[in-house]
Amino acid sequence: MKSRDSLVRLKGFQVNEKRRQLQQLQMMMAEFERMAKELEHQITLEEKKSGIADPNHFAYPTFAKAARQRADNLQVSIRELKVQQESAELALEEAEAELAKASALEERDGGMRARA
């Protein structure tokens, strides 16, 4: 049955697409984490240079304040991406299950045609 073969190809394509989306999310999270670490390093250097590590101090470096805000924003984005990652993982599992089911149906139909 050509329709079963088409269904299996469609499900395979959907699985590959879900995997690609999941990898993309993971790469974005890794990049955001790298950027946040770099900002933290820059904040530490700026605090050492100025001798002021308290963000509430009136003379706290403006650059460190801005970098801290960017790092915080990146952490929020990472948390949001983790939620999306969990959703993408579930979607991938569902797509893989549908592919397995479609493949099993095609195999069964192929076996029936061979006997006929």
Side-chain angles (χ1 to χ4, degrees), residues 32-45:
F32 286 178
E33 287 170 358
R34 186 198 61 76
M35 291 167 62
K37 284 179 185 173
E38 178 63 29
L39 285 169
E40 290 296 332
H41 177 69
Q42 291 176 359
I43 292 166
T44 302
L45 290 176

Side-chain angles (χ1 to χ4, degrees), residues 2-48:
K2 282 193 182 252
S3 64
R4 294 254 196 248
D5 183 46
S6 297
L7 180 65
V8 170
R9 282 200 317 263
L10 173 65
K11 295 300 179 185
F13 174 78
Q14 290 173 342
V15 166
N16 289 335
E17 181 63 20
K18 300 290 183 195
R19 281 189 186 130
R20 188 193 61 75
Q21 290 172 352
L22 184 59
Q23 284 179 325
Q24 197 171 27
L25 285 170
Q26 291 168 338
M27 286 180 2
M28 284 174 42
M29 286 173 39
E31 179 65 14
F32 286 178
E33 287 170 358
R34 186 198 61 76
M35 291 167 62
K37 284 179 185 173
E38 178 63 29
L39 285 169
E40 290 296 332
H41 177 69
Q42 291 176 359
I43 292 166
T44 302
L45 290 176
E46 192 69 21
E47 288 175 346
K48 284 181 183 177

